[in-house]
Amino acid sequence: MYGLADCNNFFVSCERVFRPSLEGRPVVVLSNNDGCAVSRSNEAKALGVGMGQPLFQFRDLVRRYGIEVFSSNYRLYSDMSHRVHATLRELVPAVEVYSIDEAFLDLSGIPLEELNELGHRISRTCRRNTGIPVSVGIAPTKTLAKVASKLCKQYPRLNGACLMSRSEDIEKVLRKFPIGDVWGIGRRYVKRWTAAGIRTAWDFVSLPEDIVAVQMGVTGVRTWRELRGEPSIDFEQHRPPKQQICVSRSFSEEITEIEQLHGQLAGFAAQCAVKLRTQQSACREAIVFIATNRHREDREQAFINRLTLFSVATDSTLEIESAVRQMLNDCFREGLSYKRAGVILSDIVPRDRVQRHLFDTLDREKHARLMSAVDAVNAAADDPWRPVVRIASQAEGVLNHCDHRSPAYTTDWNDLPIVKL
């Protein structure tokens, strides 16, 4: 059996932990640059605030109903996520972290009659230890566990946990479960199946396997089998290395100068390189893209990108940043105002399998020692989100609006909550 622990309205719940007065009130957390709603309390959803809806479109609702609005505070959310996952590891044999607010649980070996009580204990303990409400779905497969966790959110009387083990109960749920809410079936396939009259998860599992294989390939067949109660998606306690690493941002103000844009891209390159080294990998390709503001129809539009191939796969911030600068010089166009940019590393290989080049002139051992020292210093810093040691071309921060950001309650001594008696 598998479980899925899903934090309810996670970003909003993190804000409520340190502002209990927000319980029962409409709350919205915004994306970077205070652009769109990325997390909404149930009260905000009931008022009509949509997921991904731009702030300017629901600003009247904010004024009319007193909706509390917060800028994204990823330092806080990341730390609270670690606390939830640490609690889960104390309660179950193994945990697979799926995202910042979700984790699969390996419940193999636990008697079936104990699973319902275990699910409720997990939900209660997470709430007690972290303040975050967690919905726990338990079922024979990971996909069905996702379905069960959604039921927890829809039906408060389940008290945070839902066990789906009997075939008749699973069929009853799938007959009403929208195909668009099934994990692993994207919007493109939802449109295709809906047009063919397949509207529920039960309609989908009632299809012949060969039809699913033709339409969706191996991945679709795995989902089909999982919904039928056949475990087909492996439990991965240790996540595999990423095959592509990307850091991109939309800026709070448009950039017209190449040096200012390079400062931002150098920072993105450094973040990508740190992620690369963290998973002990190296990359053979780097891509830079820059784009204008697509919402400014009165200005010339452009999306420009460049690709660099490294003769020897690298994880060096210095080498990657140098390539980024060259690509930016090649693609930058004077007279345009750039609103978004990013760096992508791909063709990633394990660091211990890098094929050296006969005529390679770079002192890679020296680069490795330098990067290791820089990473160690930055990891020991009080604020890992703002590195102490960085390359000279790297900007100090991203151009980003955050007018409604809450304090870093758990990661900064200066922001510790103050209790008055």
Side-chain angles (χ1 to χ4, degrees):
M1 298 289 282
Y2 297 90
L4 178 77
D6 188 358
C7 302
N8 301 347
N9 307 323
F10 180 57
F11 294 172
V12 166
S13 295
C14 289
E15 301 291 351
R16 282 176 164 174
V17 169
F18 301 95
R19 292 271 303 274
S21 61
L22 296 176
E23 290 288 346
R25 295 173 56 190
V27 181
V28 172
V29 175
L30 302 172
S31 62
N32 288 321
N33 292 316
D34 293 345
C36 306
V38 293
S39 183
R40 305 155 296 152
S41 67
N42 292 335
E43 297 79 9
K45 295 175 186 177
L47 292 175
V49 179
M51 186 63 171
Q53 185 177 7
L55 174 60
F56 73 86
Q57 291 185 359
F58 64 89
R59 200 178 291 278
D60 287 343
L61 294 177
V62 172
R63 288 192 289 263
R64 190 184 315 161
Y65 297 104
I67 298 176
E68 290 282 351
V69 176
F70 290 90
S71 303
S72 295
N73 188 345
Y74 293 116
R75 290 176 59 193
L76 173 65
Y77 307 152
S78 177
D79 185 67
M80 296 301 291
S81 174
H82 290 316
R83 293 172 187 232
V84 171
H85 294 153
T87 299
L88 294 174
R89 291 188 177 94
E90 296 175 353
L91 299 171
V92 298
V95 173
E96 175 192 336
V97 176
Y98 179 66
S99 67
I100 193 172
D101 62 343
E102 292 179 285
F104 286 106
L105 315 175
D106 181 5
L107 306 178
S108 57
I110 300 176
L112 182 62
E113 59 271 16
E114 298 179 11
L115 290 177
N116 187 54
E117 194 281 328
L118 174 62
H120 286 91
R121 185 165 75 250
I122 292 171
S123 182
R124 288 195 307 269
T125 306
C126 286
R127 186 63 183 263
R128 182 194 65 202
N129 289 4
T130 68
I132 302 295
V134 175
S135 297
V136 181
I138 302 174
T141 70
K142 293 170 77 173
T143 303
L144 287 174
K146 288 274 279 188
V147 173
S149 72
K150 286 183 179 290
L151 294 182
C152 292
K153 297 181 179 182
Q154 294 175 8
Y155 302 103
R157 66 176 182 272
L158 291 173
N159 293 320
C162 175
L163 170 63
M164 291 198 324
S165 58
R166 299 188 305 172
S167 57
E168 56 268 32
D169 292 337
I170 293 174
E171 178 180 342
K172 182 179 179 181
V173 170
L174 296 186
R175 284 186 178 276
K176 297 181 179 180
F177 199 80
I179 190 171
D181 289 343
V182 174
W183 179 49
I185 301 183
R187 284 177 289 182
R188 180 165 59 93
Y189 288 117
V190 169
K191 291 181 180 180
R192 183 182 303 177
W193 289 124
T194 302
I198 309 300
R199 292 180 170 81
T200 67
W202 184 253
D203 293 336
F204 179 69
V205 300
S206 299
L207 292 169
E209 181 177 352
D210 56 344
I211 291 180
V212 176
V214 169
Q215 294 294 326
M216 298 182 65
V218 175
T219 303
V221 171
R222 287 199 193 105
T223 300
W224 179 83
R225 289 177 179 171
E226 288 258 320
L227 290 172
R228 295 169 67 90
E230 306 170 21
S232 302
I233 301 176
D234 294 335
F235 188 88
E236 298 175 346
Q237 189 171 354
H238 304 287
R239 300 185 71 176
K242 294 181 179 180
Q243 298 305 302
Q244 186 178 80
I245 295 174
C246 174
V247 175
S248 65
R249 294 288 187 278
S250 293
F251 307 123
S252 58
E253 56 191 57
E254 296 176 1
I255 296 177
T256 58
E257 301 296 327
I258 189 171
E259 283 305 319
Q260 187 180 17
L261 188 56
H262 175 242
Q264 298 295 317
L265 285 169
F268 299 165
Q271 292 179 52
C272 284
V274 170
K275 294 181 180 182
L276 199 61
R277 293 192 292 272
T278 300
Q279 67 176 33
Q280 298 185 352
S281 299
C283 70
R284 294 194 185 100
E285 295 180 355
I287 298 171
V288 162
F289 69 84
I290 54 178
T292 55
N293 189 346
R294 60 188 176 89
H295 298 293
R296 293 293 302 269
E297 297 180 357
D298 58 324
R299 294 185 177 178
E300 182 181 354
Q301 300 292 309
F303 180 92
I304 313 169
N305 60 74
R306 291 293 185 273
L307 167 69
T308 287
L309 302 178
F310 297 106
S311 58
V312 177
T314 183
D315 65 357
S316 169
T317 298
L318 302 180
E319 190 174 9
I320 294 171
E321 187 276 335
S322 177
V324 165
R325 172 181 276 278
Q326 184 59 54
M327 286 187 284
L328 177 61
N329 289 337
D330 291 343
C331 67
F332 184 84
R333 286 170 51 189
E334 295 283 354
L336 294 181
S337 300
Y338 298 96
K339 183 66 173 177
R340 187 166 184 263
V343 174
I344 303 172
L345 305 183
S346 57
D347 198 359
I348 293 173
V349 298
R351 187 164 55 191
D352 58 1
R353 298 181 189 174
V354 172
Q355 181 67 47
R356 300 294 291 269
H357 193 282
L358 181 61
F359 302 104
D360 185 20
T361 59
L362 193 67
D363 189 343
R364 299 194 177 275
E365 285 71 23
K366 183 177 180 180
H367 274 240
R369 292 194 302 271
L370 175 60
M371 293 299 102
S372 179
V374 169
D375 291 344
V377 171
N378 288 334
D382 291 336
D383 185 357
W385 293 79
R386 287 184 178 274
V388 174
V389 180
R390 61 180 185 272
I391 54 179
S393 59
Q394 184 178 344
E396 290 192 22
V398 178
L399 292 174
N400 184 22
H401 276 314
C402 49
D403 297 332
H404 311 282
R405 181 169 293 169
S406 55
Y409 296 107
T410 64
T411 57
D412 190 327
W413 289 105
N414 296 319
D415 286 345
L416 283 177
I418 299 174
V419 178
K420 297 181 180 179
L421 298 177

